[in-house]
Amino acid sequence: MSKNAIVIGAGFSGLSAASHLAAAGVKVTVFEMHEQAGGRARTWSQDGFCFDMGPSWYWMPDLFERYFSHFGYDVKDLYELKRLDPSYRVVWPEGDHSDVPAGVDALRAFFEAHEPGAGRKLDEFLSQTKYIYEAAYEDYLFRPSLSFFEFVDPRLVGELFKLRMLRSMHRYARGFFKNERLARLVEWPVLFLGASARETSAMYSLMSYADMALGTWYPPGGMHRIIEAMVKVAEELGVEFRLGEAVEEIIVENGRAVGVKTHEGTQRADAVLASADYHFVETKLLAPEHRQYDETYWESRTMSPSSLLYYLGVEGDLGELPHHTLFFDEDLDTHMDAVYDQARWPEAPLFYACAPSVTDPTVAPEGCSNLFLLIPLAAGLRDDDGKREKLFDMVMDRLERHTGRPLRERLLVKRSYAMRDFEADYGAFKGNAYGMANTLRQTGPLKPTLRSNKVRGLYYAGQLTVPGPGMPPSLVSGELSAKVLIDDLWRTT
Ligand SMILES: Cc1cc2nc3c(=O)[nH]c(=O)nc-3n(C[C@H](O)[C@H](O)[C@H](O)COP(=O)(O)OP(=O)(O)OC[C@H]3O[C@@H](n4cnc5c(N)ncnc54)[C@H](O)[C@@H]3O)c2cc1C
């Protein structure tokens, strides 16, 4: 007899889970509280500007290829991809900037120009990090992390020790490069994992490999093209979408999840897979006796930072600003302390500016520019409109100085988005943006688990469980959770 499952949430992880379940023959209904699929990767449009609300860096194209090929698609049949060159710009504390070129040959020359011998060191760095990336990709990333025994592998442990991967990323980078700017360039990608290079293991240097060797890409039309492609694939597999229908409760009978309640009524199923924020599902959709983690547990977690975002529609151009610019023009250590300090707003934040209309004229009206600003802030920081505006002015001073353009005078659209909005839109614990930080204490089996150990037939996916935050990890999370569910479903019948 055919089986059915409910997926809560239509972000990257929920869409991935839904398609993997449907491809295995499960009848799937996805409940999404918003009218649009995509979750943190939704779009917001106004006056001819179309903003990607969250992700803007398309890294690890191989993981997207792998995802779509599982369902018989080539990425190029679904959306176009452009490799960005320069990959991105970094603005330094001295006020000058570096445009980081795409491709290993150009990078080698760039490194050599900064430090004699650094070109050869870069080759060595990329060869070590390629090994880590491939080991993770081919094997470890796809383990559900339900038990520590999955990771007891003498080959990997031996290699990790040989390459001294338990060092911090900060020390690992400086073992290769004396020039502080080069060290910073190879270590910054771990910021995507929600913790500083000082607190992140060198194992995550695989992110630097993804940046430097595999490249930075962009799908014209915006990041939401990926979501549209995922929805298309899911629908072709027979997945039913109920958009604008929030789940209000997971129904548990005799210790088993048997369905959900929404404002439309009750829907029953053989299993429920929740891809909404883990803390929200446990505390708002389940009765206390069905929760696995108490508030003390959650309070003791290191959340990834939240963010203050600005979606800006600008009349005219942005000077020579490229698609991605990282403003590393203030002290990194002071900034990193501030993004974990829930008690006060930062005084000199680093920030990131994305100008997709530089690559893609479809995201802004003719003669205008689409600009997205991201200022990392501590999850749990008390939101405050006045403080948002103060930070806005602070970063706009720096941006206007850098571009040589009076951007504030030319704003046609302006919207801010921060902790309060993440809470309202996703039930995000402490208003976090990217889930839980990938510190060593919160990696693999030390993360909240994919399968509930309190309620049979209840599974979790998303950036608060394995493998962690980011679009590619969320794709993997949905796949892993779906596989565990399928195995259980077929084993118990
Ligand atoms: C500002 C920002 C920038 C980012 N930049 C990048 C980047 O450049 N590159 C990158 O790879 N990653 C980036 N990320 C991370 C990436 O976007 C996320 O890790 C990923 O989108 C998370 O997907 P998810 O499925 O886990 O969660 P979500 O996208 O949050 O999906 C969960 C879904 O559940 C729904 N939901 C919640 N409660 C209910 C309910 N009761 N009933 C029904 N539905 C419900 C929500 O509406 C949502 O659609 C960024 C994230 C943010 C916020």
Side-chain angles (χ1 to χ4, degrees), residues 278-352:
Y278 207 119
H279 172 269
F280 172 82
V281 175
E282 283 246 313
T283 57
K284 297 287 185 299
L285 303 186
L286 284 172
E289 65 271 24
H290 302 314
R291 297 173 191 163
Q292 306 166 88
Y293 307 104
D294 59 18
E295 277 305 312
T296 319
Y297 170 86
W298 289 109
E299 282 298 332
S300 66
R301 298 300 93 184
T302 306
M303 300 311 288
S304 292
S306 185
S307 295
L308 169 58
L309 308 174
Y310 273 93
Y311 308 107
L312 304 173
V314 184
E315 188 173 24
D317 68 12
L318 303 170
E320 299 296 312
L321 201 70
H323 193 116
H324 296 298
T325 305
L326 301 162
F327 282 80
F328 289 173
D329 50 345
E330 294 284 356
D331 181 63
L332 180 64
D333 291 331
T334 314
H335 168 86
M336 288 315 297
D337 289 345
V339 293
Y340 294 101
D341 185 347
Q342 299 177 33
R344 69 192 161 90
W345 283 61
E347 274 156 27
L350 304 183
F351 73 102
Y352 155 63

Side-chain angles (χ1 to χ4, degrees), residues 150-165:
E150 292 169 33
F151 294 87
V152 179
D153 178 337
R155 182 184 62 98
L156 184 84
V157 173
E159 286 299 330
L160 287 180
F161 274 100
K162 202 167 93 198
L163 298 174
R164 297 175 58 215
M165 284 291 152

Side-chain angles (χ1 to χ4, degrees), residues 27 39 57 142-143 189 194 197 216 259 275 323 373 390 417 432 461 485:
K27 188 170 172 346
W57 296 79
F142 295 96
R143 298 190 183 202
T216 300
S275 81
H323 193 116
L373 303 180
K390 200 169 150 213
Y417 192 101
N432 81 79
L485 186 161

